[in-house]
Amino acid sequence: MKTEKIYSAGIDIGTSTTKMVVSRLLLKNVAGLTQVPRIEIIEKTILHQSPIIKTPFINKDVIDMGKIEQFIFQQYKLADIAPADISTGAIIITGESATKQNASEVVHAIADTAGHFLVATAGPDLEGILAAKGAGTVQQSKNSAKVIANIDIGGGTANIAVMQFGEVIGTCTLHIGGRLIEFHHGIVQSISSPLNRLMEKWSNPLSVGDVAGDVRVTQCIDAMVETLAMTLSGQLKDEQHPILLGHLPSWDKPIDAIMFSGGVAACIYENDCTQRQYDDIGEKLAKMLLQHEQLQSFLWLRPEETSRATVTGAGTQTTEISGATIQVNADVLPLKNVPVITCHMDTPLKKFDQVVKTAVERADTLFSIQENRAPFALYFSQLPYLNFQDVHQLCEVILQQLASRSSKEMPIIIVMQSDYAKVIGQTIQALHRTVPIICIDQIKVETGDYIDIGEVLPSGVVPVVVKTLAFHSK
């Protein structure tokens, strides 16, 4: 096939700033003439980068959705792209913004109006991974055996994603950011709740109204930097640490190299702290990171992107392309926010029915709201070699569990890594003519992921975005 063009958008609504990119992705069949088609994204080009604006708020707890929508449509105009031309991409809400009252409403509303197929995402682990992709850490780790940590520090959080051989091996998020203490005319105007919790044990904590040059400001920053150093060197073990957001570090290998992205990284590498350098702790935080002895023991790498790492990741790195050997009922697409349940098939064939039954029951327990069953995707992992008879048996098992409950609103959704989607999809269709089926392959997911599946592209593939939908609280 010739190359096929699709357009992607990435929108990042952060604690301090909001930005957007519009990209063009080129698709091509990279398989040989006699092989099963394999459509891949062969080129990603950023067509437009927005200016970085201050995230608009109606008050400290409510994001100004109207102003954000206005900004987005203005950027589409500048990029000379219509929202309807956007086939894929993500709107991501990051840092402290994800804790605001209307965070979920904002990203879902904008995702529905700002593009033909734009997905809504949140969650610090995903933020860290997207930033690592946008900063180039994933690519750098592919080229070496080194374990590399990307630390994306914005206004409210530091999202850490640790990579080796191009794969994510762990994540962690800390309350470390440039706007956790803000100043106005040289006076402390606000202190974030994690820092207030950190100072609970201090005999004389910093408070609003103190001067910006107060030694306790430096002590707060020092505590943040020290916590980061402990985290990167495997010493953070306290699940109740006031600066920890969510789970403890989940990697199990020592880190060799570190790379910073986010707004604070612009101060570290580029000496560019923008106009906000005087009203928050961003610049001082960057300086103290550079001077910290334990952090200096790691190899420091330079990112491709700093302030725009997350939005670049969201706009160019979220989309995967399904295999060309898929079976889909086009009239049920697009599908959004479909939770995934893994079905491990490393079992004798005669036990397939039990494995599928258990996975379906588990999905109902996890995803149904009261008595209302919700659609979900079954991810078949570790499938053994299947002959025609085995395929037939597996499809009968799937239908046995799912046919009676399926409808246009509840299609059977099967995802797998291996190239069985077409044969399984067609066999299900042959056994049961009316059941709506989405069967896609060459996609890797796991329980806890959500997927969005776009409409069928001219090449016969579908864009798939794997994501998380967790909106974290303070």
Side-chain angles (χ1 to χ4, degrees):
M1 70 174 249
K2 294 175 184 167
T3 55
E4 180 179 346
K5 248 186 320 200
I6 62 172
Y7 294 100
S8 171
I11 301 158
D12 176 13
I13 303 168
T15 307
S16 312
T17 59
T18 291
K19 52 271 203 207
M20 176 174 172
V21 298
V22 178
S23 312
R24 182 183 62 224
L25 311 180
L26 281 188
L27 313 184
K28 191 177 183 182
N29 181 9
V30 296
L33 287 173
T34 58
Q35 295 173 305
V36 172
R38 183 173 289 272
I39 313 296
E40 286 185 7
I41 299 168
I42 57 160
E43 190 182 294
K44 301 168 185 178
T45 309
I46 292 178
L47 301 178
H48 175 72
Q49 285 191 327
S50 77
I52 298 174
I53 64 160
K54 192 168 181 177
T55 299
F57 290 95
I58 291 168
N59 59 47
K60 68 182 179 62
D61 293 315
V62 180
I63 299 160
D64 191 330
M65 184 157 70
K67 282 191 178 162
I68 286 176
E69 283 191 319
Q70 196 181 350
F71 168 72
I72 290 165
F73 289 106
Q74 188 182 30
Q75 299 317 307
Y76 278 139
K77 214 170 178 182
L78 291 170
D80 203 18
I81 295 271
D85 295 334
I86 300 295
S87 302
T88 187
I91 169 168
I92 183 163
I93 192 155
T94 59
E96 296 280 302
S97 290
T99 69
K100 302 306 177 191
Q101 277 175 17
N102 63 338
S104 178
E105 179 199 339
V106 166
V107 292
H108 286 100
I110 292 173
D112 288 340
T113 59
H116 185 55
F117 180 66
L118 203 60
V119 306
T121 60
D125 288 347
L126 181 70
E127 291 162 35
I129 293 164
L130 287 181
K133 288 179 174 180
T137 311
V138 174
Q139 198 55 46
Q140 285 221 30
S141 77
K142 277 181 183 172
N143 304 333
S144 81
K146 285 185 170 60
V147 176
I148 308 174
N150 191 85
I151 305 111
D152 188 73
I153 309 183
T157 54
N159 303 107
I160 305 166
V162 180
M163 310 279 161
Q164 188 180 32
F165 303 123
E167 295 288 326
V168 181
I169 63 167
T171 56
C172 182
T173 302
L174 302 171
H175 288 288
I176 296 175
R179 296 191 78 80
L180 295 187
I181 301 175
E182 294 179 271
F183 310 118
H184 187 65
H185 297 315
I187 300 295
V188 174
Q189 187 184 31
S190 68
I191 302 168
S192 74
S193 48
L195 286 188
N196 279 321
R197 287 198 299 274
L198 178 79
M199 293 188 289
E200 276 171 7
K201 293 176 185 170
W202 294 15
S203 57
N204 185 20
L206 180 74
S207 56
V208 171
D210 289 334
V211 295
D214 193 298
V215 68
R216 289 165 297 180
V217 172
T218 304
Q219 285 170 349
C220 282
I221 301 169
D222 191 49
M224 286 191 266
V225 175
E226 191 58 40
T227 307
L228 176 63
M230 284 170 62
T231 304
L232 294 174
S233 54
Q235 296 167 294
L236 184 67
K237 306 290 183 193
D238 177 9
E239 288 183 12
Q240 303 305 314
H241 196 292
I243 283 180
L244 182 67
L245 172 56
H247 61 81
L248 283 166
S250 58
W251 57 90
D252 56 5
K253 293 182 180 176
I255 290 166
D256 303 308
I258 58 176
M259 189 187 283
F260 289 91
S261 61
V264 170
C267 298
I268 291 172
Y269 297 102
E270 301 156 24
N271 202 19
D272 168 23
C273 293
T274 72
Q275 297 163 1
R276 299 189 324 280
Q277 60 183 298
Y278 303 113
D279 64 9
D280 65 28
I281 56 171
E283 186 176 23
K284 199 161 188 183
L285 174 59
K287 279 183 180 165
M288 288 175 75
L289 287 165
L290 280 165
Q291 290 161 4
H292 194 274
E293 198 176 327
Q294 197 174 355
L295 290 178
Q296 288 305 320
S297 66
F298 295 104
L299 172 67
W300 283 53
L301 300 173
R302 199 175 179 88
E304 287 170 20
E305 286 283 353
T306 53
S307 301
R308 299 176 191 271
T310 306
V311 75
T312 301
T316 63
Q317 304 285 341
T318 49
T319 301
E320 295 181 45
I321 297 298
S322 70
T325 52
I326 62 173
Q327 184 72 15
V328 297
N329 285 85
D331 59 341
V332 302
L333 293 175
L335 286 169
K336 289 191 175 187
N337 305 335
V338 178
V340 173
I341 197 91
T342 303
C343 203
H344 290 296
M345 304 303 280
D346 54 345
T347 183
L349 293 172
K350 59 179 181 291
K351 291 192 177 173
F352 272 7
D353 56 346
Q354 193 52 48
V355 175
V356 176
K357 182 173 186 279
T358 305
V360 170
E361 285 170 356
R362 193 166 163 231
D364 280 340
T365 306
L366 284 173
F367 309 127
S368 296
I369 299 166
Q370 290 157 348
E371 295 304 305
N372 298 325
R373 284 173 167 165
F376 59 85
L378 272 181
Y379 175 57
F380 288 131
S381 73
Q382 298 164 316
L383 259 179
Y385 169 76
L386 302 177
N387 60 30
F388 177 75
Q389 204 175 346
D390 301 333
V391 168
H392 203 271
Q393 186 191 331
L394 176 59
C395 292
E396 283 185 330
V397 166
I398 293 167
L399 284 166
Q400 197 182 335
Q401 294 300 325
L402 296 172
S404 62
R405 58 197 279 172
S406 70
S407 64
K408 191 177 173 185
E409 289 69 41
M410 283 274 292
I412 294 175
I413 306 165
I414 308 287
V415 183
M416 55 194 73
Q417 238 187 314
S418 45
D419 293 326
Y420 280 111
K422 199 168 195 74
V423 67
I424 288 174
Q426 286 180 337
T427 305
I428 289 174
Q429 215 92 76
L431 290 168
H432 197 305
R433 285 269 163 222
T434 58
V435 68
I437 176 87
I438 303 292
C439 205
I440 59 175
D441 57 26
Q442 294 178 23
I443 300 290
K444 188 176 186 302
V445 284
E446 58 188 49
T447 299
D449 287 337
Y450 284 73
I451 56 171
D452 288 28
I453 306 169
E455 291 175 354
V456 181
L457 298 172
S459 50
V461 298
V462 289
V464 179
V465 178
V466 181
K467 62 188 187 173
T468 175
L469 285 174
F471 284 83
H472 52 273
S473 55
K474 287 180 183 175

